[in-house]
Structures are given as structure tokens and as C-alpha cells.
Amino acid sequence: MSDIIQLLPDHVANQIAAGEVVQRPASVVKELLENAIDANASEIKLIIKDAGKTLVQVIDNGKGMSVTDARLSFERHATSKIKAAEDLFQLNTKGFRGEALASIAAIAHVELKTKQDEEDLGTSIIIAGSEIKSQEVSVTPTGTSVSVKNLFFNIPARRNFLKSDTVELRHITDEFHRVALAHPNIAFAFYHNGSDMFNVPQENYRQRVVHIFGTKTNEKLVPVEEETEVLKISGFVGKPEFSKKTKSEQFFFVNQRFIKSPYLNHAIKSAFEGLLKDGYHPSYFLNLTVDPKSIDINIHPTKTEIKFDDEHTLYAILRSAVKHSLGQFNIAPVLDFEHQSSLNTPYDYRDKKASTPAIEVDRSFNPFSDDSPARQKTTSHNTGFKSAPTESWESLYVGLESKGNNSQSDFSQVTFESESKNESIFSDSSIETKKSTFQLQQKYIVSTLKSGMLVIDQNRAHQRILYENFLRHITIKEATSQQLLFPLQLHYTPNETIIIEDLKADLEHTGFVFSELSAKEITITGVPVGVPESEVSIIFEQLISDVENDVPDANFSTADLLAKSMAKSLAIKNGQSLNSTEQEHMVNSLFACKEPNVSPTNRPTFITMAVDDIEKKFM
Ligand code: ADP
Ligand code: MG
């Protein structure tokens, strides 16, 4: 049999490598920015068109390349950054694999312009699909400019796989933030489709964090500084009260490289123990400096994961440094015997008073009497509770009836209420049979059915009701809004603002009114009827977190996500007690829904138990 193994041609090998290095436009952004940093640039400009699908260009004022280097930079395994395998363990540069430019040139149209300071003229190279189209002497400023156009032009499958512009742009901004945060001593500018996304001078770390995450961030930063033989830590953690539902403000940089480390993240979380509400994540912006020998960066093609020699020690140092900072700035309870009661008290219980457990005993209860006082007690309690609101309702409508205007129907409802009240005073047993629901553990609404029993999960049911309501408003575009007395101003990071901008039309259809929606601030002058003003920021935060967490794809409907998210924020929670009118209203509204049996997230809203099943239990 003849030999069948062949060496792959270079352009094929490059395309395969590109599959690992370049997943999306944001990967190109990362590689080009890192090359500019490695070239010691002090100013870097990023220019993007159509979320990077049409153009990603990075211009730096770094050291540039010679004519030969310019040509060689597109060869695979061509790098100026390491010479031998040992060098891998003392890296001071971002790049070292010599793969990025070769990979990018295999799957896009690339134009490179570069000039070294000491030269008068530079070089310009055009390359597409690994093929050099032209190489010329050119007039260009010192430094390098790389333009990457039409990414994946020769791999339609990859191009089709790209997400919407919003999503791709979000990935790009994420990468950009990571690089910009790691290098406050470099000035950055970022333009998308001609508009200015970001522009920062050389500055200190605090200024950089504030520039990226907004002026309000300044007050929430707690400095963390620690220096030991193996590890130097500097940076900030966010005060616990500013913790977020998303993990969008969690940054570790190791030797100025952004990394992901669930293990070290855990160290921070444990330093915050007892200070965070459930489901909230601490913010942190931490720079760790370690001996390059003690880490291995070469375990992942995109270099976002690294291996530490001694993770356990780093964990312990990090945890104690963060704890110390929180304590020092009076955020965490420090060990103080006078205040020991606050120690280890979960955040949300801090200000609650302890209640004395009470057992209610009805001493006059007689199980053999039909007219049991226990019953009387509950019903009279109900009546007493109900009478006040009903009377005041009635007084509201007194004048209306004689005028005979169109509130007639409302009035008749009120009359009906008071009738039932009168009935209850005279005949206790009649209301007992009329009352068709009760609440169990402030979590479930129990109701009787002809065939048995119905148990409704109040939170899920309410989510379903609100969800269908919001969805209807969004689709028929006829929601009513209530105007706010004072406009509400909210501040978000550029990324978060993009998410809200994207949902603006849908949000308006639910009843939100924006008087301003820009990177600097969001001003709201109207909210959907029934949405309390105090809930608005919670709704938006939930919305941002939902969008970020289930990175929407092409067939995702923003309307649906918005309706789900708002329903989740506004639905009655477990633990909330409901009076019988509210309970009945809930049951009726649920069964008026199109899909009453599941919550918006597809969980059951109620269960039923047939009398037969109950009977079986008694056998
Ligand atoms: P790596 O960064 O891993 O070395 P790349 O393919 O990204 O591999 O780049 C190859 C080489 O091209 C680099 O080692 C560097 O010498 C040169 N180079 C790339 N971009 C620039 C730039 N912006 N300025 C100067 N030199 C650059
Ligand atoms: Mg590189």
C-alpha cells in the first residue's frame, strides 16, 4: 500500500491554527492590542466597523518593524519574543506563540503598515488568505497599523456563526476593557462606526477603573495592597453594598495579563463571606504580580488561563489581604468583643430584630361543637380586617353614584364587597364555605376544585401573569405609562448602556419613557403603570444580568427576555402574605393566562391533588 500521510500546506495549517486563536472579531482585537503593547506603545487606537465584521484596525506608536520583520511577522511560529523553550518561563510579553498574525492573515484581508523610528520610510504589506498581494515601501508614521477586513471571508461557516453586532461588540468591549485596565500607563482610544466609544489618557489605576466603569465607581472602591515574597497584590475591591448580580466587574490580572481563575475568585468570595446578599457577586479589580517562573501561561491558546506553582499560598494571601482591607475600611466586622453580635450575622439579617416565638392556643376550642369558636375567631378576624378598607372605598364612591357617570361598574363592585361583608357578620358559616382559597406558608395558595385540591406557587404564578401582560404590551405596543414626579437618573457602564439601548424600543412599549439614553447617563421620566419607582433600578439590573448571562443568539427575542426579566423582578415573592381578595385575584388571573400551567421559565405553577389520591392516603 502506498504512503498516505502528507504535510499540510502552510495556508491550511494556518487556517487550522486560526480556529483556535481567532474565534470572533474580539479575538483579533485582543491579539492586535497585545502586539501593540509588546511593541512598547504609549498610545493605542482601536477602530472598529460593524462590530469588527467589516474592520478591526489597531494603530500604535510603538517600535515598528524592519522590512524583513514585517514580512516575517506573518509566518507561523515567527516571533521576536522568545528564542528557546526556557524563555517560556520568564515571559515579560503578552505574545510568544508567533501565531496570531499568521492565523489572522489566513482568514481575512490584512493590511500592515509599519515604520521604525530611525527610518524615514516604512513598509506596507497586503495579505489575504495567507497570500501576499503586495509589499511596498510607504510613507507612514512611526509605529504599526494593522487593518483586518472581512474576517472569515473564506470560511463562510465561521462567518455565519458570528452573533449579532450587539453581541460581537460586547465581546470586543470586554476585551478592550481588560487590556485597558491592565495598562493604565497607556493612552487608549476606541471608535465604533465612526463614533467615539472610549478615550482615556495615561493615568493611574484608580482613574482608569473609574474611566471605564463610570464616575460613581470611585466611591465604591476599597484599596487592596499587599506585598509578600511570592506575591504582590494591588488594586481594589468594591464595597459589599455595591455588589452586582452579574460577574461583569471581576478582574484578575497576573503580570498585567487578564486571567480567569475560579479558584482565586473563590478566595475573594470567601473574604466577603457574610457581607453579600444571596445571588450577588463582589466587584474586584486586582493586579497580582508574581515571578514569571512560577506560572505557566502556555496551557491555553487564548492565554486566559494560567497555572500557578503554588495556588494554595496565593489563595491564602489573597483572601487575607482582601479581608484585611474590608476590615480596615470598616466594611467588614472586625474582631471586637463589644460588637461581637454583629459578627457572622448574614448581611440581610443585620438590622432585623429577633422575634420571640409564640404559640397560639385556643383554650375554648371544642371539636364537638358545630359553632366552634375557632372558626368564629378566624372569620371575625377577617371581617374586622376587611371592614375598614371597604368603608373607605365606599366613601370614595359616594358622590359618584348620584352623578351617574361611567364609574357605575366600579361602584357595583364595591357594593358587592360590602354585601359580602354584611353577610359575614350575620352568618359565619356562609362565608366559611364561600372562602375558596387560603395561603400556606406564605408561599402557596391552596384552593378547592370539584375533583380535589389545587396548590399554586404564588411567585411562579404571578410571574406567568406579569409575563403575559408585559409581552402583550410589547407586541401590541399600547402600554400606558405613569409619569414620574422627578426624572430618575441611572448610571451604567458603556457595555450595560449598550444592552439597554438595544432594548429601548421594547422597554418603551412596556411603558418606560426615556428623556436621555447615552453613555453618560440614562434619564427616565415615565415607568409602566404599576411599577414602583423604587423597583426600576432592580428591573434594569436584572435585565442586564439576564442578557449577559444567556448571551442571546440570533433566534432570541428581546421582547421575550424583557418580559421574563421584568416579571421576575416584580412578581410577588415567597414569604409575602396575601389577603383572600388578592389570593382569589391571583387564581383568576392565572387561569385567564394562555399558558397557566408553567412559569415563564417553564416550571410548574401549580399542582393538583385528586380526591381519589387523598382517599388513598387514608386507606
Ligand atoms: P507573537 O506576538 O506571539 O510574537 P504575532 O503573530 O502576534 O506573534 O506577531 C509576530 C511578530 O510580529 C511579533 O513577535 C513582533 O515581533 C511582530 N509584531 C507584531 N505586531 C507588532 C506591532 N504592533 N509592533 C511591532 N512589532 C509587531
Ligand atoms: Mg502577538
Side-chain angles (χ1 to χ4, degrees):
M1 216 187 173
S2 58
D3 303 331
I4 51 168
I5 298 180
Q6 306 175 11
L7 277 176
L8 286 175
D10 268 357
H11 68 276
V12 179
N14 284 340
Q15 257 198 31
I16 294 172
E20 279 192 329
V21 182
V22 186
Q23 277 124 18
R24 50 177 13 126
S27 335
V28 175
V29 169
K30 174 177 192 265
E31 293 297 336
L32 297 185
L33 290 177
E34 290 191 347
N35 279 348
I37 289 164
D38 286 345
N40 292 328
S42 61
E43 278 170 30
I44 300 176
K45 213 184 272 177
L46 169 65
I47 300 166
I48 302 286
K49 281 204 186 116
D50 304 323
K53 293 172 184 170
T54 315
L55 172 75
V56 174
Q57 182 178 14
V58 171
I59 305 170
D60 69 55
N61 65 349
K63 63 183 175 200
M65 285 178 260
S66 70
V67 183
T68 328
D69 281 355
R71 173 68 191 80
L72 262 181
S73 67
F74 290 106
E75 291 297 321
R76 205 142 69 94
H77 306 309
T79 180
S80 54
K81 298 170 192 173
I82 57 170
K83 293 196 170 64
E86 301 89 81
D87 297 345
L88 276 176
F89 298 97
Q90 34 202 323
L91 282 170
N92 291 310
T93 53
K94 304 270 175 257
F96 56 87
R97 297 166 69 109
E99 269 179 343
L101 287 184
S103 303
I104 294 167
I107 49 163
H109 297 114
V110 178
E111 185 174 350
L112 168 85
K113 285 186 173 174
T114 187
K115 184 182 92 66
Q116 292 178 308
D117 199 20
E118 59 275 19
E119 303 292 333
D120 290 331
L121 290 171
T123 310
S124 147
I125 293 179
I126 295 179
I127 179 168
S130 296
E131 213 178 292
I132 301 266
K133 303 286 182 192
S134 77
Q135 171 157 7
E136 290 167 3
V137 175
S138 90
V139 180
T140 181
T142 298
T144 304
S145 154
V146 182
S147 311
V148 177
K149 294 177 192 159
N150 311 320
L151 189 66
F152 300 130
F153 77 97
N154 51 357
I155 321 179
R158 293 293 295 277
R159 195 163 170 93
N160 294 338
F161 185 70
L162 292 178
K163 300 278 165 73
S164 69
D165 281 9
T166 326
V167 174
E168 293 301 341
L169 185 61
R170 196 156 73 235
H171 284 288
I172 290 174
T173 348
D174 281 346
E175 285 302 348
F176 179 78
H177 284 168
R178 292 166 183 176
V179 175
L181 272 176
H183 298 275
N185 56 336
I186 298 177
F188 285 93
F190 173 10
Y191 306 91
H192 181 236
N193 289 343
S195 67
D196 198 342
M197 298 278 289
F198 203 79
N199 207 325
V200 282
Q202 297 182 321
E203 55 195 347
N204 67 28
Y205 191 50
R206 183 187 271 268
Q207 290 166 326
R208 182 57 56 91
V209 172
V210 170
H211 253 133
I212 294 183
F213 296 98
T215 3
K216 284 222 153 176
T217 321
N218 197 22
E219 59 185 289
K220 52 175 164 170
L221 299 180
V222 180
V224 181
E225 300 288 338
E226 180 69 79
E227 192 158 359
T228 70
E229 259 174 40
V230 290
L231 170 68
K232 180 171 174 263
I233 306 171
S234 77
F236 305 95
V237 292
K239 291 180 188 163
E241 63 265 37
F242 294 105
S243 59
K244 301 196 108 192
K245 280 197 157 182
T246 70
K247 297 181 181 174
S248 59
E249 291 188 357
Q250 303 194 328
F251 295 88
F252 278 126
F253 300 95
V254 173
N255 297 354
Q256 294 192 297
R257 189 191 294 279
F258 171 82
I259 59 136
K260 292 181 183 154
S261 169
Y263 184 68
L264 295 185
N265 176 58
H266 191 271
I268 311 262
K269 264 184 103 168
S270 84
F272 271 85
E273 207 177 318
L275 296 170
L276 294 177
K277 283 189 270 183
D278 250 10
Y280 280 76
H281 307 281
S283 304
Y284 54 84
F285 314 89
L286 293 171
N287 299 297
L288 315 185
T289 314
V290 296
D291 184 346
K293 284 197 196 72
S294 72
I295 50 175
D296 185 357
I297 302 163
N298 197 20
I299 57 170
H300 197 273
T302 59
K303 298 169 278 191
T304 46
E305 280 162 45
I306 62 178
K307 234 169 71 195
F308 296 97
D309 276 357
D310 188 0
E311 261 189 344
H312 297 305
T313 314
L314 298 196
Y315 182 100
I317 300 173
L318 191 59
R319 179 170 180 267
S320 93
V322 172
K323 260 198 139 152
H324 180 77
S325 287
L326 290 172
Q328 204 179 14
F329 288 86
N330 271 333
I331 287 144
V334 277
L335 206 52
D336 171 349
F337 291 100
E338 279 192 78
H339 295 107
Q340 224 193 1
S341 61
S342 67
L343 211 81
N344 294 332
T345 313
Y347 195 60
D348 32 345
Y349 281 99
R350 188 79 51 74
D351 296 324
K352 281 193 184 161
K353 288 210 180 78
S355 57
T356 342
I359 302 167
E360 265 183 58
V361 182
D362 182 2
R363 292 180 199 284
S364 56
F365 178 67
N366 177 359
F368 303 106
S369 152
D370 235 11
D371 198 22
S372 123
R375 280 189 192 178
Q376 270 184 0
K377 200 182 162 198
T378 43
T379 31
S380 63
H381 170 80
N382 267 349
T383 331
F385 173 69
K386 267 179 133 182
S387 66
T390 318
E391 271 157 14
S392 49
W393 272 38
E394 267 177 328
S395 64
L396 267 179
Y397 288 94
V398 168
L400 292 178
E401 192 198 23
S402 52
K403 278 182 204 143
N405 65 12
N406 52 10
S407 295
Q408 202 76 37
S409 58
D410 288 316
F411 187 74
S412 59
Q413 261 183 3
V414 177
T415 325
F416 170 74
E417 278 276 322
S418 54
E419 267 168 15
S420 81
K421 183 197 82 176
N422 290 341
E423 224 176 0
S424 66
I425 287 170
F426 297 113
S427 113
D428 283 333
S429 50
S430 73
I431 192 150
E432 194 65 86
T433 47
K434 260 195 130 180
K435 198 181 148 197
S436 56
T437 58
F438 67 89
Q439 208 183 5
L440 188 66
Q441 305 224 318
Q442 298 180 330
K443 193 172 175 192
Y444 302 105
I445 300 170
V446 183
S447 176
T448 51
L449 292 174
K450 249 191 199 147
S451 58
M453 192 169 84
L454 173 74
V455 183
I456 296 175
D457 180 310
Q458 65 185 44
N459 171 262
R460 290 183 192 174
H462 199 206
Q463 281 197 36
R464 162 57 60 184
I465 298 163
L466 292 172
Y467 167 73
E468 291 200 3
N469 214 0
F470 285 130
L471 205 56
R472 193 165 48 239
H473 285 156
I474 298 170
T475 32
I476 61 177
K477 310 188 168 133
E478 58 121 49
T480 37
S481 45
Q482 83 205 41
Q483 202 169 1
L484 295 176
L485 207 50
F486 301 104
L488 190 65
Q489 287 185 346
L490 302 168
H491 298 266
Y492 292 100
T493 65
N495 257 9
E496 293 171 339
T497 311
I498 293 173
I499 294 177
I500 295 172
E501 270 172 351
D502 230 48
L503 292 170
K504 183 172 179 246
D506 284 334
L507 281 164
E508 285 171 343
H509 296 146
T510 65
F512 282 102
V513 183
F514 297 91
S515 70
E516 180 168 356
L517 208 178
S518 69
K520 284 198 193 68
E521 87 180 21
I522 294 179
T523 310
I524 296 172
T525 51
V527 297
V529 167
V531 171
E533 189 181 335
S534 55
E535 293 286 325
V536 173
S537 66
I538 300 170
I539 293 175
F540 278 56
E541 200 172 314
Q542 181 73 50
L543 195 62
I544 291 166
S545 129
D546 286 347
V547 174
E548 279 179 349
N549 291 339
D550 67 50
V551 179
D553 53 31
N555 47 29
F556 132 108
S557 139
T558 43
D560 188 68
L561 186 124
L562 175 64
K564 265 187 202 155
S565 186
M566 285 183 48
K568 191 163 28 165
S569 320
L570 291 171
I572 282 172
K573 304 285 180 294
N574 291 334
Q576 189 163 331
S577 64
L578 302 173
N579 65 31
S580 46
T581 321
E582 290 166 335
Q583 294 169 25
E584 268 169 47
H585 188 67
M586 179 87 89
V587 179
N588 294 337
S589 312
L590 176 65
F591 289 100
C593 283
K594 282 193 190 136
E595 274 187 83
N597 44 336
V598 286
S599 75
T601 46
N602 261 330
R603 308 240 201 86
T605 47
F606 64 83
I607 53 159
T608 53
M609 204 182 262
V611 176
D612 292 352
D613 292 332
I614 298 174
E615 272 169 1
K616 271 185 209 141
K617 295 215 185 263
F618 284 103
M619 294 227 251

mmCIF file of all heavy atoms in Angstrom, residues 31-32 34-35 38 79 81 94-101 303, ligand 2:
data_model
loop_
_atom_site.group_PDB
_atom_site.id
_atom_site.type_symbol
_atom_site.label_atom_id
_atom_site.label_comp_id
_atom_site.label_asym_id
_atom_site.label_seq_id
_atom_site.Cartn_x
_atom_site.Cartn_y
_atom_site.Cartn_z
ATOM 1 N N GLU A 31 -5.533 40.157 20.155
ATOM 2 C CA GLU A 31 -4.178 39.875 19.648
ATOM 3 C C GLU A 31 -3.488 41.145 19.173
ATOM 4 O O GLU A 31 -2.308 41.362 19.450
ATOM 5 C CB GLU A 31 -4.239 38.847 18.512
ATOM 6 C CG GLU A 31 -4.698 37.442 18.944
ATOM 7 C CD GLU A 31 -3.750 36.769 19.945
ATOM 8 O OE1 GLU A 31 -2.554 37.133 19.982
ATOM 9 O OE2 GLU A 31 -4.220 35.890 20.703
ATOM 10 N N LEU A 32 -4.234 41.996 18.458
ATOM 11 C CA LEU A 32 -3.600 43.214 17.931
ATOM 12 C C LEU A 32 -3.243 44.190 19.049
ATOM 13 O O LEU A 32 -2.181 44.811 19.030
ATOM 14 C CB LEU A 32 -4.498 43.893 16.890
ATOM 15 C CG LEU A 32 -4.810 43.088 15.620
ATOM 16 C CD1 LEU A 32 -5.600 43.943 14.635
ATOM 17 C CD2 LEU A 32 -3.539 42.559 14.956
ATOM 18 N N GLU A 34 -2.537 43.398 22.070
ATOM 19 C CA GLU A 34 -1.393 42.843 22.803
ATOM 20 C C GLU A 34 -0.082 43.053 22.043
ATOM 21 O O GLU A 34 0.954 43.343 22.640
ATOM 22 C CB GLU A 34 -1.622 41.352 23.089
ATOM 23 C CG GLU A 34 -2.725 41.165 24.120
ATOM 24 C CD GLU A 34 -2.840 39.734 24.645
ATOM 25 O OE1 GLU A 34 -2.227 38.826 24.032
ATOM 26 O OE2 GLU A 34 -3.520 39.546 25.646
ATOM 27 N N ASN A 35 -0.128 42.920 20.728
ATOM 28 C CA ASN A 35 1.081 43.180 19.939
ATOM 29 C C ASN A 35 1.530 44.628 20.097
ATOM 30 O O ASN A 35 2.722 44.907 20.197
ATOM 31 C CB ASN A 35 0.838 42.875 18.458
ATOM 32 C CG ASN A 35 0.946 41.388 18.162
ATOM 33 O OD1 ASN A 35 1.419 40.615 18.995
ATOM 34 N ND2 ASN A 35 0.506 40.984 16.980
ATOM 35 N N ASP A 38 3.196 44.949 23.432
ATOM 36 C CA ASP A 38 4.529 44.343 23.389
ATOM 37 C C ASP A 38 5.519 45.229 22.626
ATOM 38 O O ASP A 38 6.731 45.134 22.832
ATOM 39 C CB ASP A 38 4.464 42.957 22.725
ATOM 40 C CG ASP A 38 3.841 41.912 23.653
ATOM 41 O OD1 ASP A 38 3.738 42.197 24.866
ATOM 42 O OD2 ASP A 38 3.465 40.818 23.176
ATOM 43 N N THR A 79 8.347 34.717 15.789
ATOM 44 C CA THR A 79 8.179 35.649 16.894
ATOM 45 C C THR A 79 9.514 36.258 17.283
ATOM 46 O O THR A 79 10.555 35.617 17.126
ATOM 47 C CB THR A 79 7.544 34.960 18.122
ATOM 48 O OG1 THR A 79 7.406 35.926 19.157
ATOM 49 C CG2 THR A 79 8.365 33.789 18.622
ATOM 50 N N LYS A 81 9.735 37.298 20.350
ATOM 51 C CA LYS A 81 9.588 37.386 21.808
ATOM 52 C C LYS A 81 10.247 36.263 22.596
ATOM 53 O O LYS A 81 10.570 36.436 23.765
ATOM 54 C CB LYS A 81 8.102 37.523 22.147
ATOM 55 C CG LYS A 81 7.566 38.820 21.526
ATOM 56 C CD LYS A 81 6.087 38.985 21.559
ATOM 57 C CE LYS A 81 5.679 40.155 20.642
ATOM 58 N NZ LYS A 81 4.254 40.295 20.475
ATOM 59 N N LYS A 94 3.178 39.799 26.158
ATOM 60 C CA LYS A 94 1.871 39.166 26.037
ATOM 61 C C LYS A 94 1.943 37.994 25.064
ATOM 62 O O LYS A 94 1.399 36.928 25.283
ATOM 63 C CB LYS A 94 0.851 40.158 25.465
ATOM 64 C CG LYS A 94 0.728 41.417 26.242
ATOM 65 C CD LYS A 94 -0.332 41.229 27.284
ATOM 66 C CE LYS A 94 -0.416 42.432 28.165
ATOM 67 N NZ LYS A 94 0.182 42.299 29.447
ATOM 68 N N GLY A 95 2.569 38.246 23.929
ATOM 69 C CA GLY A 95 2.629 37.201 22.909
ATOM 70 C C GLY A 95 3.890 36.375 23.069
ATOM 71 O O GLY A 95 4.798 36.746 23.799
ATOM 72 N N PHE A 96 3.919 35.250 22.429
ATOM 73 C CA PHE A 96 5.119 34.421 22.397
ATOM 74 C C PHE A 96 4.950 33.258 21.431
ATOM 75 O O PHE A 96 5.890 32.593 21.055
ATOM 76 C CB PHE A 96 5.491 33.874 23.784
ATOM 77 C CG PHE A 96 4.369 33.099 24.443
ATOM 78 C CD1 PHE A 96 4.202 31.741 24.197
ATOM 79 C CD2 PHE A 96 3.493 33.730 25.308
ATOM 80 C CE1 PHE A 96 3.162 31.037 24.796
ATOM 81 C CE2 PHE A 96 2.454 33.034 25.904
ATOM 82 C CZ PHE A 96 2.288 31.684 25.645
ATOM 83 N N ARG A 97 3.702 33.019 20.989
ATOM 84 C CA ARG A 97 3.480 31.837 20.168
ATOM 85 C C ARG A 97 3.761 32.098 18.692
ATOM 86 O O ARG A 97 3.852 31.166 17.908
ATOM 87 C CB ARG A 97 2.043 31.339 20.345
ATOM 88 C CG ARG A 97 1.767 30.911 21.775
ATOM 89 C CD ARG A 97 0.273 30.734 22.031
ATOM 90 N NE ARG A 97 -0.281 29.596 21.320
ATOM 91 C CZ ARG A 97 -0.676 28.459 21.893
ATOM 92 N NH1 ARG A 97 -0.562 28.330 23.204
ATOM 93 N NH2 ARG A 97 -1.172 27.496 21.189
ATOM 94 N N GLY A 98 3.830 33.367 18.313
ATOM 95 C CA GLY A 98 4.108 33.704 16.922
ATOM 96 C C GLY A 98 3.035 33.206 15.972
ATOM 97 O O GLY A 98 3.300 32.872 14.823
ATOM 98 N N GLU A 99 1.824 33.141 16.452
ATOM 99 C CA GLU A 99 0.742 32.549 15.655
ATOM 100 C C GLU A 99 -0.303 33.542 15.217
ATOM 101 O O GLU A 99 -1.006 33.311 14.232
ATOM 102 C CB GLU A 99 0.013 31.508 16.518
ATOM 103 C CG GLU A 99 0.567 30.143 16.392
ATOM 104 C CD GLU A 99 -0.195 29.165 17.285
ATOM 105 O OE1 GLU A 99 -0.916 29.611 18.204
ATOM 106 O OE2 GLU A 99 -0.073 27.970 17.032
ATOM 107 N N ALA A 100 -0.420 34.631 15.986
ATOM 108 C CA ALA A 100 -1.585 35.493 15.779
ATOM 109 C C ALA A 100 -1.650 36.069 14.371
ATOM 110 O O ALA A 100 -2.649 35.875 13.670
ATOM 111 C CB ALA A 100 -1.602 36.602 16.822
ATOM 112 N N LEU A 101 -0.607 36.765 13.958
ATOM 113 C CA LEU A 101 -0.679 37.409 12.646
ATOM 114 C C LEU A 101 -0.842 36.379 11.530
ATOM 115 O O LEU A 101 -1.606 36.586 10.595
ATOM 116 C CB LEU A 101 0.544 38.298 12.413
ATOM 117 C CG LEU A 101 0.572 39.604 13.226
ATOM 118 C CD1 LEU A 101 1.777 40.462 12.840
ATOM 119 C CD2 LEU A 101 -0.713 40.402 13.036
ATOM 120 N N LYS A 303 -4.691 32.132 26.119
ATOM 121 C CA LYS A 303 -3.895 32.582 27.259
ATOM 122 C C LYS A 303 -4.704 33.260 28.363
ATOM 123 O O LYS A 303 -4.231 34.175 29.027
ATOM 124 C CB LYS A 303 -2.769 33.518 26.767
ATOM 125 C CG LYS A 303 -1.807 32.811 25.816
ATOM 126 C CD LYS A 303 -0.858 33.780 25.126
ATOM 127 C CE LYS A 303 -1.507 34.428 23.955
ATOM 128 N NZ LYS A 303 -0.625 35.179 23.060
HETATM 129 MG MG MG B 2 1.042 38.572 19.270
#
